[in-house]
Amino acid sequence: MISGSTYPARATAALALCIVLFSGYTVAAVGDDSPILAETMPVGTSGAGLGVAVRAENSLYRGGGTRNDLVPIYVYEGKRVFLEAYRAGLKLNDTPDARLDVFVGYRFEGFPYDRIPASLAGMANRGPGVDLGVAYQYRKPWGTLFGEVLRDAAGGSNDTEVRLGYRYDWNIGKLQLQPS
């Protein structure tokens, strides 16, 4: 996955465990701030799930420490609409081979706005943001290719981000692993 932000493996593992325990659906264990819940249900099905997770992020700034956020996990997967813990969107196309979505998402930022270290003295504060984006997945037996284009809608960075990746699904009984 190519991305400008970090999402530690321990937070991803905690999120995956919470979803398994609270929702009853299989889980995609992915890195960064990708749509971890996008593949929790088979194509064409609907459902919902609830849970909670702790998100931990090491600051990129010297003296920034570690941020811990309590994230409610909720997922709704309908025929045309999806809702995830930090993302909501519309499914423009959802077939066994491909999925095309448009979405709005919450962007966790690494700026320590509650405990500002000395290394950031004098810099303007930067809070979390809102992204608008388009996501596409192409599924085949050899794996899934996926990509996203996100644009900062809140005006905090005025940036555009492109994410590309590959995933292969391993099914082991009721457990589904999706390394990417």
Side-chain angles (χ1 to χ4, degrees), residues 141-157:
W142 43 262
T144 301
L145 296 173
F146 55 91
E148 293 182 343
V149 177
L150 300 92
R151 177 77 180 153
D152 174 23
S157 67

Side-chain angles (χ1 to χ4, degrees), residues 37 56 69 74 99 143 147 159 163 168:
L37 304 174
D69 296 310
Y74 45 88
R99 178 171 167 174
D159 275 344
R163 299 175 181 166
Y168 183 78

